[in-house]
C-alpha cells in the first residue's frame, strides 16, 4: 500500500514532487503533463461553454498534503488554495493524527433533498401526498435513466408546513439517492417534473422547485486521536480544549475557527471540482443548528490525556458529472486521491478539515500563527533563491534573525554562505 508520510516534500524540486505524486497515484505521463501545463486547467473554449461572457480562465496554486491515513488507507491530498501555510498545516495535523492510526470517518449515503413549495393547498394535502407517494416517486425516477438502474434515485417523500407572513405553506421534500454525483441537476429536474402532479393531488399551486443545499442527509463524521506528547503535553492539550470552548461559545471566534476548517475542506473541493459555495453554506447553517452559531468541531481528551478531535458536517460532493467531466486537473486530482465513491471523497475532505482545524488551534494556543507562517514563507523564499536542502535551514534562520524575509534577502544570504 502506498505510504503518504513523505518527509520534507517542501524541500524537493517540482520535478521530484511530481515523481513522488506520480508514483504514489500511478499517474500516466499524460496526466503528469496536465499537472505541468502552465495554463492550469480548462481551455478557453470550455470556459466559454460553461459561463456567460467568458473572457479567460483563472488559475490558483495546487499543492499536496502528506501524511494522511483515513480509515486505514493512505492519501496524498491535492489542495487548491491561494493562502500560504494551509497545506503545511493539514500535513502537520495528519502527521500527529497518524501516530494513533489516523482519521476514522463515516459518511451517510448520498441523499439529496429537493424542495417543492406548495401554496393554497387544502387541509388534507399531506395525507393525499402520502397516499400518492409511490406515484410521485415513480414519476421522479422516470427522469433518470441511470439512477433507478443502480437501485438509486428518488426514494422518499416528506411533507412539512411552515407559517409565514403570507400564510401557511406546504413544503414537499423529495429525498433522492444521487449515488456518486453531487446531484443538483437531477434533483432540480425531478422537482420540476413532479410539481404538476403535486398540484393535481393537493389542489394547491407550486412555486419554487429546487434542491436544498442544506444536505443533512449527507452527514460526515470524522474523529482522530492526537497523542498527548506529540501535541506538546498536558498543558497544550488543555489549552486547545479552551480554544475550542472559546469558539463554541462566541460567534466572532466560531466564524474564524470554522473558516479554518473550511480552509481544508474547500481546498480539496477546489482541486476536485466541487461546488464550494454549497459546501460552505451548508456547513455554516449546520454550525448554527442549536440556535447559536458554534464550532463545527469538538475537542476533548481521553482518559490518557490524549487530545480527541471530532468534526461533523453535511457535505454534498460528487465524483461523476459536473466540472470534473471538463476540467483535466480536477480529473487528475481525483485520481491522486484514488477515491472510488462520493462518500469516500466526503470522508477525505472532512478529515482534511479536522487536520486543518487541529493545526490552527494548536498554533494559536501555543506560539501564535505568525511565527510558523513567516518561517514557511522564508523557507519558500530560500528554496526559490536556489538554496539546497542543506542550506535552507541556515538561510531561514538568518532571514528570521535579521528580519530580512524577502527573495533578495535570501539571494544575498545564499551568496554569503
Ligand atoms: C486562517 O485562514 C485560518 C485561522 O484563522 C483559523 C483559526 O483561527 O482557527 C488560522
Amino acid at each position: 500500500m502506498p505510504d503518504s508520510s513523505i518527509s520534507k516534500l517542501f524541500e524537493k524540486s517540482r520535478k521530484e514532487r511530481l515523481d513522488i505524486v506520480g508514483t504514489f497515484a500511478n499517474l500516466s505521463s499524460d496526466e503528469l503533463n496536465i499537472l505541468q501545463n502552465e495554463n492550469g486547467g480548462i481551455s478557453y473554449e470550455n470556459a466559454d461553454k460553461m459561463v456567460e461572457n467568458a473572457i479567460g480562465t483563472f488559475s490558483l496554486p495546487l499543492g499536496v498534503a502528506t501524511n494522511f491515513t483515513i480509515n486505514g488507507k493512505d492519501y496524498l491530498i491535492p489542495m487548491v488554495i491561494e493562502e500560504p501555510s494551509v497545506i503545511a498545516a493539514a500535513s502537520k495535523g495528519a502527521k500527529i493524527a497518524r501516530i494513533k492510526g489516523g482519521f476514522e470517518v463515516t459518511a451517510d449515503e448520498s441523499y439529496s433533498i429537493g424542495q417543492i413549495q406548495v401554496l393554497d393547498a387544502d387541509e388534507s394535502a399531506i395525507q393525499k401526498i402520502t397516499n400518492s407517494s409511490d406515484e410521485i416517486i415513480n414519476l421522479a425516477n422516470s427522469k433518470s435513466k441511470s439512477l433507478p438502474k443502480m437501485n438509486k434515485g428518488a426514494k422518499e417523500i416528506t411533507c412539512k408546513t411552515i407559517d409565514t407572513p403570507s400564510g401557511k405553506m406546504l413544503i414537499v421534500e423529495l429525498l433522492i439517492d444521487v449515488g456518486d454525483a453531487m446531484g443538483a441537476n437531477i434533483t432540480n429536474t425531478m422537482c420540476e417534473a413532479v410539481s404538476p402532479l403535486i398540484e393535481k393531488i393537493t389542489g394547491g399551486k407550486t412555486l419554487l422547485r429546487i434542491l436544498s443545499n442544506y444536505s443533512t442527509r449527507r452527514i460526515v463524521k470524522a474523529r482522530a486521536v492526537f497523542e498527548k506528547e506529540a501535541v506538546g503535553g498536558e498543558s497544550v492539550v488543555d489549552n486547545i480544549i479552551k480554544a475550542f470552548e472559546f469558539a463554541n461559545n462566541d460567534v466572532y471566534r466560531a466564524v474564524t475557527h470554522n473558516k479554518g476548517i473550511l480552509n481544508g475542506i474547500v481546498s480539496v473541493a477546489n482541486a476536485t471540482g466541487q461546488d464550494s459555495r454549497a459546501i460552505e453554506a451548508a456547513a455554516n447553517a449546520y454550525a448554527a443548528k442549536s440556535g447559536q452559531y458554534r464550532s463545527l468541531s469538538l475537542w476533548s481528551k481521553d482518559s490518557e490525556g490524549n487530545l480527541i478531535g471530532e468534526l461533523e458536517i453535511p457535505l454534498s460532493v460528487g465524483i461523476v458529472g459536473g466540472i470534473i467531466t471538463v476540467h483535466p486537473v480536477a480529473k487528475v486530482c481525483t485520481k491522486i486521491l484514488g477515491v472510488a465513491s462520493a462518500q469516500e471523497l466526503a470522508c477525505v475532505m472532512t478529515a482534511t478539515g479536522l487536520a486543518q482545524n487541529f493545526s490552527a488551534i494548536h498554533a494559536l494556543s501555543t506560539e501564535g500563527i505568525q511565527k510558523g507562517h513567516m518561517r514557511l514563507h522564508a523557507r519558500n523564499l530560500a528554496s526559490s533563491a536556489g538554496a539546497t536542502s542543506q542550506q535552507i535551514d541556515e538561510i531561514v534562520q538568518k532571514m528570521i534573525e535579521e528580519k530580512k524575509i524577502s527573495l533578495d534577502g535570501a539571494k544575498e544570504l545564499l551568496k554569503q554562505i
Side-chain angles (χ1 to χ4, degrees):
M1 192 181 78
D3 182 349
S4 68
S5 59
I6 298 156
S7 95
K8 304 208 166 167
L9 190 61
F10 55 85
E11 283 181 4
K12 303 205 186 299
S13 66
R14 183 181 187 190
K15 176 163 185 329
E16 287 168 324
R17 291 176 194 161
L18 281 165
D19 284 347
I20 289 168
V21 174
T23 307
F24 182 94
N26 203 11
L27 299 183
S28 67
S29 55
D30 282 353
E31 286 163 336
L32 286 167
N33 284 338
I34 287 169
L35 294 177
Q36 289 176 88
N37 176 356
E38 294 306 330
N39 292 331
I42 52 171
S43 62
Y44 172 75
E45 286 66 35
N46 273 334
D48 198 30
K49 285 182 207 134
M50 288 165 75
V51 302
E52 306 71 40
N53 307 341
I55 54 169
T57 59
F58 182 103
S59 60
L60 285 171
L62 162 64
V64 284
T66 54
N67 302 322
F68 276 83
T69 298
I70 302 165
N71 296 335
K73 177 175 164 188
D74 270 27
Y75 295 85
L76 283 180
I77 304 200
M79 298 172 79
V80 167
I81 187 156
E82 86 297 348
E83 187 176 329
S85 303
V86 170
I87 298 173
S91 306
K92 181 184 165 183
K95 187 172 181 182
I96 297 181
R98 197 177 175 86
I99 299 168
K100 289 279 186 189
F103 298 85
E104 281 167 27
V105 196
T106 57
D108 285 351
E109 296 209 28
S110 306
Y111 271 71
S112 140
I113 303 169
Q115 295 192 299
I116 300 149
Q117 179 189 20
V118 190
L119 309 177
D120 307 322
D122 62 46
E123 284 295 307
S124 55
I126 292 185
Q127 190 55 52
K128 286 178 183 162
I129 297 249
T130 309
N131 294 345
S132 306
S133 59
D134 283 350
E135 191 186 353
I136 300 169
I137 286 172
N138 287 341
L139 178 59
N141 283 331
S142 70
K143 296 290 150 190
S144 169
K145 284 199 180 80
S146 53
L147 289 177
K149 271 192 208 144
M150 296 186 288
N151 200 24
K152 299 192 181 298
K155 295 282 176 193
E156 277 174 57
I157 292 186
T158 59
C159 294
K160 64 185 179 192
T161 54
I162 54 170
D163 287 316
T164 79
S166 304
K168 215 182 243 315
M169 294 173 189
L170 169 66
I171 310 299
V172 179
E173 290 181 341
L174 203 52
L175 299 172
I176 306 158
D177 183 349
V178 293
D180 285 324
M182 189 268 191
N185 263 331
I186 190 62
T187 303
N188 293 339
T189 302
M190 286 185 177
C191 287
E192 289 190 8
V194 299
S195 102
L197 178 58
I198 286 178
E199 286 188 347
K200 197 173 123 202
I201 294 167
T202 60
K205 177 91 194 84
T206 60
L207 192 58
L208 270 57
R209 300 146 300 162
I210 183 77
L211 157 90
S212 168
N213 286 121
Y214 194 30
S215 46
T216 55
R217 294 289 298 259
R218 299 174 98 162
I219 298 290
V220 192
K221 293 180 188 166
R223 182 181 189 276
V225 179
F226 297 82
E227 204 246 342
K228 180 172 78 175
E229 294 314 325
V231 168
E234 189 179 346
S235 66
V236 179
V237 168
D238 289 343
N239 283 342
I240 290 177
I241 294 170
K242 286 180 192 137
F244 149 69
E245 286 167 352
F246 177 14
N248 211 32
N249 292 284
D250 177 72
V251 64
Y252 284 85
R253 175 59 203 146
V255 169
T256 320
H257 175 99
N258 290 341
K259 188 268 182 183
I261 294 171
L262 288 165
N263 274 347
I265 294 175
V266 170
S267 309
V268 189
N270 291 339
T272 56
Q274 309 301 319
D275 180 344
S276 59
R277 289 87 57 212
I279 292 169
E280 290 177 54
N284 284 313
Y286 205 62
K289 69 179 190 302
S290 66
Q292 184 186 329
Y293 188 96
R294 294 183 190 278
S295 164
L296 282 164
S297 58
L298 189 75
W299 293 91
S300 59
K301 58 182 179 178
D302 66 12
S303 56
E304 291 159 17
N306 299 309
L307 181 69
I308 309 288
E310 291 166 88
L311 175 61
E312 180 178 315
I313 44 161
L315 193 51
S316 170
V317 296
I319 58 164
V320 295
I323 189 178
I324 200 166
T325 50
V326 289
H327 201 299
V329 181
K331 251 186 232 170
V332 178
C333 287
T334 308
K335 178 156 177 197
I336 294 171
L337 279 175
V339 289
S341 65
Q343 283 162 288
E344 190 180 349
L345 175 59
C347 289
V348 168
M349 290 168 69
T350 308
T352 312
L354 185 57
Q356 190 65 41
N357 185 217
F358 165 79
S359 291
I361 54 175
H362 180 269
L364 286 167
S365 51
T366 53
E367 59 178 19
I369 58 164
Q370 285 310 84
K371 202 168 161 198
H373 192 82
M374 289 323 283
R375 182 164 286 276
L376 197 73
H377 185 48
R379 191 167 272 287
N380 287 336
L381 291 172
S383 167
S384 308
T388 62
S389 48
Q390 289 79 21
Q391 295 166 323
I392 283 180
D393 283 340
E394 192 182 339
I395 294 184
V396 166
Q397 197 51 39
K398 285 207 167 118
M399 277 202 276
I400 289 170
E401 277 163 16
E402 293 173 17
K403 296 197 169 59
K404 267 199 221 156
I405 303 180
S406 68
L407 186 59
D408 285 343
K411 283 182 181 159
E412 188 58 43
L413 287 165
L414 189 60
K415 264 192 221 147
Q416 286 170 21
I417 59 169

